[in-house]
């Protein structure tokens, strides 16, 4: 089982990049993990928000492989606790699928086609965070989930 974090746009803020690199390094001890950064849509001034979401959505869908589980990080998704999320990870790892792809959309969210393809939607909080922060927070949560599953002392209840 491989976990992939697919994002629209790159992470450029230095301290966030450093944090992502740290958790990415830690995660490699538990599970294959990669980040796939998709190019931002160009000439967005000429596009409506819906057109931008559609263009991003086509790119997201084109990167998926047959059999991938697609989990959207979306403000309207379910909000599990860290322990509940660890349970989801465990279930997915035993599902026989090759990849779980977690996707962070662009500034306006996801297209209707991406929502239709999604297997699940998760939210990190009812608060709004920058897309770069979401990437860091979410990678940390995957790491936390793996330590919970192994009974390691990183997470405290």
């Amino acid at each position: 089982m491989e976990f992939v974090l697919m994002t629209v746009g790159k992470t450029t803020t230095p301290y966030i990049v450093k944090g992502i690199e740290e958790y990415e390094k830690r995660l490699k001890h538990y599970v294959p993990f990669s980040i796939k950064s998709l190019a931002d849509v160009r000439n967005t001034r000429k596009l409506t928000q819906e057109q931008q979401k559609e263009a991003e959505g086509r790119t997201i869908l084109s990167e998926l492989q047959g059999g991938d589980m697609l989990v959207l990080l979306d403000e309207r998704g379910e909000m599990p606790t860290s322990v509940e999320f660890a349970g989801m990870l465990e279930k997915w790892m035993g599902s026989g699928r090759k990849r779980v792809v977690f996707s962070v959309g662009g500034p306006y969210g996801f297209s209707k086609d991406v929502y239709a393809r999604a297997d699940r939607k998760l939210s990190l909080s009812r608060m709004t965070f920058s897309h770069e922060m979401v990437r860091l927070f979410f990678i940390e949560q995957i790491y936390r989930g793996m330590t919970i599953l192994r009974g390691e002392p990183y997470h405290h209840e």
Side-chain angles (χ1 to χ4, degrees):
M1 163 74 51
E2 177 186 6
F3 293 132
V4 178
L5 179 60
M6 185 181 299
T7 66
V8 174
K10 293 184 178 186
T11 305
T12 58
T13 306
Y15 69 91
I16 295 176
V17 170
K18 188 173 182 175
I20 288 171
E21 288 170 350
E22 175 63 27
Y23 283 104
E24 195 172 7
K25 182 175 79 178
R26 291 181 186 193
L27 263 177
K28 302 270 184 196
H29 298 288
Y30 299 96
V31 65
F33 176 80
S34 62
I35 298 174
K36 175 72 176 172
S37 298
L38 307 176
D40 285 313
V41 174
R42 296 181 182 236
N43 300 319
T44 56
R45 289 184 185 159
K46 298 177 184 178
L47 301 176
T48 66
Q49 290 179 11
E50 201 58 39
Q51 289 170 324
Q52 186 171 339
K53 287 193 301 188
E54 292 296 324
E56 291 166 350
R58 284 189 297 276
T59 303
I60 290 169
L61 294 173
S62 74
E63 292 291 329
L64 296 176
Q65 299 172 8
D68 282 351
M69 173 180 271
L70 177 61
V71 180
L72 305 181
L73 300 182
D74 184 85
E75 63 189 9
R76 291 175 297 280
E78 58 190 300
M79 283 189 278
T81 65
S82 294
V83 172
E84 291 167 339
F85 180 61
M88 290 176 181
L89 294 174
E90 184 174 45
K91 181 180 175 185
W92 296 337
M93 288 187 296
S95 71
R97 295 197 190 210
K98 290 184 179 180
R99 294 191 330 162
V100 175
V101 177
F102 300 98
S103 185
V104 179
Y108 304 112
F110 298 101
S111 69
K112 292 175 190 159
D113 290 339
V114 172
Y115 280 118
R117 169 60 180 83
D119 295 286
R120 300 260 324 233
K121 293 186 296 184
L122 296 178
S123 174
L124 292 177
S125 172
R126 291 180 7 194
M127 294 181 194
T128 302
F129 303 112
S130 73
H131 284 115
E132 290 194 355
M133 291 279 211
V134 166
R135 296 166 192 169
L136 175 58
F137 294 161
F138 189 68
I139 293 170
E140 189 278 340
Q141 282 300 297
I142 296 173
Y143 173 74
R144 180 177 297 272
M146 298 309 292
T147 65
I148 289 168
L149 293 176
R150 294 250 182 112
E152 295 175 359
Y154 182 78
H155 179 77
H156 305 286
E157 284 277 301

